[in-house]
């Protein structure tokens, strides 16, 4: 099986229309640090890609370049065939198309849960308030926090807040969802409630890029595992192959430490 473009129904090369996120020879430095080195990565529609690797390997930076929280030095990134916009309303729209969920939940503390999920819809998508509210309530129900709608984020557990953050991103009808260690800041007993929501999203066909150390999630939800080290993609493979039979010494070493 090809290690570069494994998709659920892969039969021969996927057509270009199937390519939702394409990074072509992307390089980025922070000063002297070459944090992303010659990154080529294509994410197909409906694909779930889990990115793993040691701390400092560039996983967060990779995610942040895809919704242009970070600029790149060379190479190109396209989303649904279009290059990333540089600024202004186009950029706001890109960030709506590329939902992002961070380790820290980043909800607006002075807005209710419901308002948090309505805000992007009314401001960026220009949805009218009533429609935004209906949609927000439905999404909060979907992630299991419908009864918390009128509370403030601080009144919720970490697991609940993270599910609100997922609902908020989904409210924009994103084309792809990026998750950067979404369960790393959670108490252990709350990890599964967030992973379950992500698992369901994956089953529903959402295109997802997930940075995580949750190998159970990677095994059950990922179509492909991308292993990064020192700013490079060292290895990519379908999860069973990667976990049972990693090829690179870097991946073997990493897996021996975490499994
Ligand atoms: P990971 O998410 O895999 O832990 P990061 O993408 O956060 O890795 O970081 C990769 C490297 O880039 C690290 O060495 C980190 O210290 C460095 N780095 C990240 N963000 C910045 C920044 N804004 N300025 C300078 N160095 C940074
Ligand atoms: Mg990180």
């Amino acid at each position: 099986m090809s290690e570069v473009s494994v998709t659920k129904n892969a039969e021969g090369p996927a057509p270009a229309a199937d390519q939702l996120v394409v990074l072509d020879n992307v390089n980025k430095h922070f000063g002297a640090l070459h944090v992303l080195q010659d990154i080529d990565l294509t994410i197909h529609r409906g694909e779930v890609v889990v990115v793993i690797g040691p701390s400092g390997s560039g996983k967060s930076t990779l995610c942040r370049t895809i919704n242009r929280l970070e600029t790149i030095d060379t190479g190109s990134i396209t989303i649904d065939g279009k290059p990333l916009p540089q600024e202004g309303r186009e950029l706001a729209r890109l960030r709506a198309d590329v939902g992002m969920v961070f380790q820290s939940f980043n909800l607006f503390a002075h807005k209710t849960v419901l308002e948090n999920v309505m805000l992007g819809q009314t401001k960026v998508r220009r949805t009218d308030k009533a429609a935004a509210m209906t949609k927000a309530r439905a999404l909060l129900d979907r992630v299991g926090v419908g009864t918390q709608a009128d509370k403030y984020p601080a009144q919720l557990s970490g697991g609940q807040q993270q599910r609100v953050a997922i609902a908020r991103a989904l409210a924009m009808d994103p084309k792809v969802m990026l998750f950067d260690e979404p369960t790393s800041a959670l108490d252990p007993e709350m990890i599964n409630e967030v992973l379950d929501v992500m698992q369901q999203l994956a089953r529903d066909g959402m295109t997802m890029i997930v940075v995580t150390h949750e190998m159970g999630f990677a095994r059950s939800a990922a179509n492909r595992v991308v292993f990064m080290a020192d700013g490079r993609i060292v290895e990519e493979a379908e999860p069973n192959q990667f976990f049972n039979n990693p090829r690179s010494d870097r991946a073997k070493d990493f897996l021996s430490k975490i499994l």
Side-chain angles (χ1 to χ4, degrees):
M1 196 179 297
S2 155
E3 75 218 27
V4 242
S5 64
V6 180
T7 59
K8 259 178 203 154
N9 307 308
E11 283 183 29
D18 231 36
Q19 302 182 345
L20 188 52
V21 180
V22 180
L23 284 81
D24 182 18
N25 201 17
V26 167
N27 283 275
K28 178 172 182 66
H29 294 77
F30 284 122
L33 181 69
H34 199 168
V35 64
L36 294 178
Q37 303 190 35
D38 304 331
I39 300 288
D40 289 318
L41 181 64
T42 298
I43 316 283
H44 300 95
R45 245 176 258 282
E47 196 179 16
V48 178
V49 172
V50 163
V51 180
I52 66 174
S55 176
S57 55
K59 307 181 297 297
S60 292
T61 306
L62 178 74
C63 286
R64 292 167 60 81
T65 60
I66 295 174
N67 69 354
R68 215 179 171 287
L69 289 170
E70 300 282 357
T71 57
I72 58 176
D73 301 337
T74 61
S76 74
I77 301 178
T78 58
I79 310 274
D80 215 358
K82 292 195 220 69
L84 293 194
Q86 297 304 303
E87 57 196 357
R89 280 203 69 74
E90 284 300 311
L91 190 52
R93 233 172 268 136
L94 167 85
R95 298 224 170 102
D97 282 346
V98 181
M100 181 132 179
V101 175
F102 302 87
Q103 181 173 335
S104 52
F105 326 121
N106 297 58
L107 297 173
F108 298 111
H110 302 291
K111 305 242 175 242
T112 66
V113 162
L114 186 69
E115 288 164 349
N116 264 277
V117 183
M118 289 173 60
L119 203 63
Q121 297 185 68
T122 51
K123 294 255 188 265
V124 179
R125 295 295 194 206
R126 305 277 190 216
T127 310
D128 75 66
K129 234 177 159 175
M133 188 178 298
T134 304
K135 185 168 185 174
R137 288 199 187 278
L139 283 168
L140 289 169
D141 282 340
R142 180 169 163 198
V143 302
V145 292
T147 56
Q148 313 297 315
D150 298 322
K151 293 189 180 166
Y152 287 87
Q155 296 173 283
L156 272 57
S157 72
Q160 290 173 324
Q161 289 185 56
Q162 195 59 305
R163 286 182 282 150
V164 173
I166 293 171
R168 183 175 61 174
L170 290 176
M172 310 301 278
D173 297 319
K175 293 177 175 167
V176 52
M177 286 280 289
L178 307 179
F179 293 86
D180 189 3
E181 301 201 28
T183 60
S184 295
L186 296 177
D187 292 334
E189 73 273 17
M190 293 170 189
I191 291 176
N192 280 336
E193 66 194 48
V194 173
L195 292 179
D196 287 348
V197 167
M198 293 166 60
Q199 186 80 249
Q200 190 57 52
L201 260 187
R203 264 187 235 121
D204 292 345
M206 178 60 74
T207 308
M208 295 164 60
I209 302 173
V210 184
V211 179
T212 185
H213 299 298
E214 296 293 333
M215 297 302 134
F217 176 85
R219 275 183 184 274
S220 62
N223 300 104
R224 182 158 45 123
V225 173
V226 169
F227 174 72
M228 287 185 74
D230 298 332
R232 289 183 185 279
I233 294 177
V234 174
E235 189 163 341
E236 326 183 33
E238 166 278 316
N240 274 327
Q241 183 190 325
F242 179 78
F243 289 114
N244 300 337
N245 201 4
R247 281 161 303 160
S248 64
D249 289 341
R250 291 300 300 263
K252 285 178 194 163
D253 179 55
F254 178 76
L255 289 172
S256 75
K257 286 177 181 143
I258 60 155
L259 293 180

